[in-house]
Amino acid sequence: MELIALGDRDQDMIRARTYGRQSHKSETDSQASPQMQKETGVAFIKSQAGWQHTGHYEDVGLSGYDPNVYRPDFERMMEDARKGEFDVVVIYMLSRLTRQGAAEALKIQQELAKYGVALVSTQEPFINTSDDNPFGVAFFALIAGLAHQESKNKSKFIRDAFTALKAKGSHISGPVPHGFEAENVQMDGLTVRLLKPGARSDAGIGPDSTPADAVMYMIEAVESGEKENAIANGLTEKGVPTPLGSLDEESAKARKDAAQKRRKSGKDDAAEYEWSPTIVRRILRDPRLAGFAIGPVDQRTKRRVILRDDEGQPVRPHAGFIEPKRWYDLQAVLDGRKRERNMDRAGTMTFLGSWGILRCGKCRSGMTVSNVDQTYVCNLRRSVGDVPKHVTRIAMEDTNSVVAARLWAKVATLDPEDDDDVALLAAAAERFAVQGADPEAAAELAEQEAQLLHVQASMKELYQDRKDGLYEGVTGRQAFRETILKYQQHEARCTARIDELKAAATTATRLPLDEWAADTEHGDPMEPGGLWERWDVADKRAFLSLFADEVVVNPNTTRRGTSWERVNGRVEIEWAKPASDEEDNESVTS
């Protein structure tokens, strides 16, 4: 390495320029900030006799370690050096010029020296290749090597820290989800960033709503049967701030720019201050609503998946808006796998309508309520497969009466010697045991059943992805095997725990058939003032669900007889079966 003679040049001044670099884009007041690097370099140049600062180069948000990163100002500096536009380049530290090690540092220095440009570091006196510092050559390669090793150690430390934080479900990077707040918590020697719901207001849904208010509004709207389009329109009409509208101007611009950069082209659906179905769906799909940590985005569905530990169990470090069972049910509604709702469109609760048990005999869709003419109705507005569009309608009051009469007649005539009745009793006993379980056990059972449905649906999607060729090659097949193994392990655990909870509940309870019969004046639960009349709608639904899986309404084929008789001829009840008989023979793990 040669020294660059600066003092004997036949010119009035030494033309000096500065170069600065920082990996991240945020300005800080640290000594490594771009502004501080420039100011320190300019001060050094002013302290040298005959030197004059003639320009500055700066690359911000660009790595000095990755050889594939293009640094525009670094390249411009090297091009200007080749043109002979300056005599010396002043840097803050060698690591600002490069972190790729001694070989790369020497290569840069030799290229500068080829065109008579010296290299000086303000913080490393031994890095000075001008002729007034003969020790610079001896230490240059050593310092370059140390900078490279420091970067390698730092990168490994960061990778290890990220791995540890990710395993604990920490919110590592990216904006805090809409409606949440983040707080740092010490956990096993690590600072873990955990999420919790943000503040709620008493203002109702409107311009003064908080993000947390909007999140809960969306959850409850879906649960009541609203679609994403209607929810988005409602939020916009009420003037509720969007995820962007909830931010200050600078943060909103940064969010929009980042989203646009990811998409590279096309309009960002969150760019306008207006709610869209996409924004609503993205918020409702987020597992963090139930406190789950998230893994990478599923490239097929573009959804965040639940982070799972080595045994396949969901990692749940955050405080969610809702419990896991409720979130799983929410996903089932969004997927179209769960159509039932507690209430009909008008917000009322009827015995059979809008909760999934009443089915159209023509298309098997759930039937809702028409309050105008007091009927249950299935209105298929388009053809689906071989089923043409149609309207199936039946009188509500008569249907309620027919189903209740058949239900109690079935219960009253159950024969312990009849195999079908024994199976029905077993199913009803199991379901009654679950209904009567202590609240904690019942909540756990509901969550386990929801998890089981969710993981089985995920497995089916995964198998379909493999069938579609998304897991080709050695790496793809290995990723498929690892993922499906976690799903299978989780499925087995859920199934085993469900069996345990049901067995424990069934052992501890029995069907109170005698008590039901005795709780009437003349032994008829349907007599005026009897048990059935005293029960509210929720009690009636719970009782029916013990003994029946579905109530099917067939199309009307005659106008003969009374309304009650015609209804009686159209209604079929599919009685309950024990869980072992309900299982699908086709395993999703095959």
Side-chain angles (χ1 to χ4, degrees):
M1 182 188 298
E2 62 177 305
L3 297 177
I4 306 302
L6 297 177
D8 57 356
R9 296 191 177 189
D10 187 18
Q11 55 192 48
D12 295 334
M13 64 178 180
I14 301 298
R15 298 165 300 172
R17 296 191 179 180
T18 49
Y19 174 78
R21 182 191 63 78
Q22 187 176 33
S23 295
H24 52 86
K25 290 186 177 181
S26 59
E27 281 286 349
T28 70
D29 59 358
S30 70
Q31 62 177 0
S33 72
Q35 182 64 28
M36 182 59 71
Q37 291 178 53
K38 180 180 178 181
E39 290 176 356
T40 303
V42 172
F44 178 86
I45 291 169
K46 288 181 178 179
S47 70
Q48 305 298 306
W51 287 28
Q52 183 173 352
H53 185 240
T54 61
H56 179 69
Y57 307 95
E58 184 174 281
D59 290 308
V60 179
L62 298 172
S63 170
Y65 185 78
D66 188 346
N68 297 317
V69 170
Y70 177 79
R71 293 184 281 161
D73 259 25
F74 173 80
E75 297 297 337
R76 185 166 66 88
M77 178 187 74
M78 297 303 291
E79 184 60 31
D80 290 347
R82 297 183 189 103
K83 295 177 182 177
E85 294 187 3
F86 58 92
D87 306 303
V88 60
V89 59
V90 178
I91 58 176
Y92 186 77
M93 295 179 72
L94 184 61
S95 61
R96 300 304 89 201
L97 191 66
T98 180
R99 283 186 176 273
Q100 296 176 42
E104 179 64 20
L106 290 171
K107 179 181 176 182
I108 294 171
Q109 191 278 328
Q110 288 170 358
E111 178 74 6
L112 292 170
K114 180 179 178 181
Y115 297 98
V117 176
L119 178 66
V120 175
S121 168
T122 63
Q123 303 302 302
E124 299 152 327
F126 299 121
I127 298 180
N128 185 335
T129 63
S130 65
D131 56 359
D132 64 351
N133 186 9
F135 296 103
V137 174
F139 289 93
F140 188 93
L142 174 62
I143 299 299
L146 290 175
H148 176 63
Q149 187 60 42
E150 176 198 4
S151 184
K152 287 178 63 178
N153 292 341
K154 182 178 179 181
S155 296
K156 183 178 185 304
F157 173 79
I158 291 174
R159 286 196 303 272
D160 291 347
F162 265 60
T163 299
L165 289 171
K166 182 179 177 182
K168 294 185 179 299
S170 176
H171 181 71
I172 298 173
S173 61
V176 173
H178 190 63
F180 281 94
E181 296 175 351
E183 61 179 352
N184 294 330
V185 177
Q186 291 297 316
M187 188 183 299
D188 298 332
L190 293 172
T191 301
V192 180
R193 197 177 187 209
L194 300 182
L195 303 174
K196 63 179 181 179
R200 301 284 302 277
S201 73
D202 298 326
I205 295 300
D208 296 327
S209 298
T210 68
D213 292 334
V215 170
M216 281 309 304
Y217 173 83
M218 284 183 270
I219 292 171
E220 292 168 354
V222 167
E223 291 174 336
S224 68
E226 285 194 57
K227 301 299 183 183
E228 293 96 313
N229 282 333
I231 296 171
N233 291 338
L235 289 168
T236 301
E237 291 172 1
K238 295 175 186 297
V240 178
T242 66
L244 281 175
S246 302
L247 302 174
D248 58 71
E249 184 176 349
E250 183 178 350
S251 300
K253 183 179 184 304
R255 182 82 64 85
K256 286 192 289 185
D257 290 345
Q260 186 65 33
K261 184 176 181 180
R262 287 196 302 272
R263 289 168 175 77
K264 300 189 187 312
S265 63
K267 184 179 179 181
D268 175 18
D269 59 10
E272 302 296 333
Y273 286 78
E274 180 176 314
W275 287 91
S276 73
T278 303
I279 299 173
V280 172
R281 193 177 304 114
R282 185 182 301 141
I283 291 172
L284 294 173
R285 288 289 191 187
D286 197 326
R288 290 171 291 193
L289 288 182
F292 293 120
I294 56 172
V297 174
D298 184 308
Q299 292 305 308
R300 189 183 68 83
T301 63
K302 304 303 180 184
R303 300 178 196 164
R304 286 286 189 181
V305 299
I306 296 173
L307 180 68
R308 298 179 182 275
D309 60 22
D310 293 338
E311 295 182 351
Q313 290 278 44
V315 178
R316 188 168 177 255
H318 307 299
F321 277 85
I322 54 179
E323 290 301 309
K325 165 64 169 61
R326 193 173 172 187
W327 183 82
Y328 285 120
D329 286 343
L330 192 68
Q331 305 315 299
V333 173
L334 294 172
D335 289 338
R337 292 183 285 112
K338 184 175 182 179
R339 291 186 290 271
E340 61 263 35
R341 302 195 304 272
N342 290 332
M343 298 183 181
D344 60 36
R345 294 171 184 170
T348 58
M349 182 184 287
T350 58
F351 176 37
L352 298 172
S354 302
W355 63 287
I357 200 166
L358 191 66
R359 298 283 173 175
C360 172
K362 206 170 179 66
C363 66
R364 305 298 291 191
S365 295
M367 299 182 70
T368 186
V369 175
S370 172
N371 288 314
V372 176
D373 54 6
Q374 293 295 292
T375 61
Y376 294 124
V377 62
C378 169
N379 189 355
L380 190 65
R381 299 180 182 276
R382 60 185 179 84
S383 298
V384 178
D386 297 331
V387 181
K389 59 182 180 180
H390 61 271
V391 175
T392 301
R393 192 182 300 275
I394 194 167
M396 185 189 306
E397 184 177 353
D398 288 336
T399 305
N400 293 347
S401 175
V402 165
V403 171
R406 287 202 204 166
L407 173 62
W408 282 106
K410 186 70 172 178
V411 172
T413 58
L414 285 171
D415 183 359
E417 301 297 325
D418 182 275
D419 290 342
D420 290 339
D421 284 355
V422 169
L424 177 57
L425 277 168
E430 182 180 87
R431 296 179 185 189
F432 181 75
V434 171
Q435 285 185 8
D438 69 86
E440 185 175 345
E444 183 184 357
L445 177 60
E447 180 180 338
Q448 291 292 331
E449 289 177 331
Q451 283 196 39
L452 180 61
L453 289 173
H454 186 76
V455 77
Q456 287 176 339
S458 298
M459 291 167 73
K460 288 180 179 178
E461 290 180 357
L462 194 65
Y463 278 117
Q464 185 61 48
D465 288 347
R466 184 180 66 169
K467 185 178 179 181
D468 294 340
L470 298 184
Y471 287 93
E472 298 293 337
V474 176
T475 303
R477 288 192 294 271
Q478 178 64 25
F480 173 83
R481 284 193 296 268
E482 291 175 355
T483 303
I484 202 65
L485 178 60
K486 285 188 175 183
Y487 284 162
Q488 289 172 338
Q489 291 172 338
H490 188 53
E491 179 191 35
R493 274 192 298 271
C494 286
T495 302
R497 185 57 181 156
I498 288 170
D499 290 343
E500 289 176 7
L501 291 167
K502 285 186 175 180
T506 304
T507 302
T509 57
R510 64 178 183 82
L511 277 174
L513 296 175
D514 295 338
E515 288 86 339
W516 285 330
D519 196 9
T520 57
E521 185 176 350
H522 302 99
D524 181 6
M526 294 193 65
E527 66 187 17
L531 183 64
W532 189 250
E533 188 175 294
R534 296 199 304 272
W535 277 352
D536 60 20
V537 174
D539 291 331
K540 293 176 180 178
R541 285 183 170 188
F543 185 71
L544 176 61
S545 65
L546 294 178
F547 296 95
D549 286 331
E550 288 185 349
V551 176
V552 180
V553 176
N554 294 311
N556 192 17
T557 58
T558 180
R559 293 185 176 276
R560 294 181 179 178
T562 65
S563 173
W564 195 96
E565 290 171 338
R566 291 196 298 272
V567 167
N568 189 48
R570 296 175 60 190
V571 170
E572 295 179 9
I573 298 179
E574 295 186 5
W575 300 109
K577 299 179 181 63
S580 59
D581 295 335
E582 294 173 345
E583 292 176 356
D584 189 351
N585 292 327
E586 181 182 356
S587 172
V588 297
T589 62
S590 60

